[in-house]
Amino acid sequence: MAEPLIIDSNETLRLVRRLAKRLGTTPDDAVAQALRAYDETSAARALMAPRQPLRDREAFIADILAHGAAVRAKLPPGTNSDHSDLYDEDGLPR
């Protein structure tokens, strides 16, 4: 017999029951299907991927800067992070 999964959260129980009803299956099967679907997403793979040691710090930094430059190139002209119009001379919100 499998080890039981204990769920103490009322919200989680509500979500599991709602998903099971939508899928026309048991709560156990609904949880298994949801976990399988999550496991197949690229976001899950990225979160679960083992961290690689940082071998070339300069290359890593250059890669981050290149990504930033690519994002900046896609921004509309005049876009900046100056929010001085939102604050007074003491740095407090206007």
Side-chain angles (χ1 to χ4, degrees):
M1 179 174 230
E3 182 178 337
L5 175 64
I6 298 170
I7 300 173
D8 290 330
S9 165
N10 288 334
E11 178 187 13
T12 303
L13 287 169
R14 183 177 46 78
L15 292 169
V16 168
R17 288 179 180 133
R18 188 169 74 189
L19 179 61
K21 185 175 180 180
R22 257 192 268 157
L23 295 174
T25 187
T26 67
D28 284 348
D29 287 339
V31 169
Q33 287 182 43
L35 291 172
R36 272 189 227 103
Y38 179 78
D39 195 38
E40 293 170 1
T41 66
S42 59
R45 284 192 293 276
L47 286 174
M48 296 185 307
R51 291 185 173 237
Q52 299 297 320
L54 185 59
R55 299 189 198 292
D56 187 350
R57 187 171 192 259
E58 286 76 25
F60 178 73
I61 292 170
D63 187 47
I64 290 173
L65 292 174
H67 284 293
V71 169
R72 277 193 308 279
K74 294 177 183 178
L75 294 174
T79 302
N80 64 49
S81 60
D82 177 24
H83 301 295
S84 60
D85 59 317
L86 300 175
Y87 302 95
D88 66 14
E89 58 280 349
D90 297 319
L92 298 173
R94 291 187 189 266

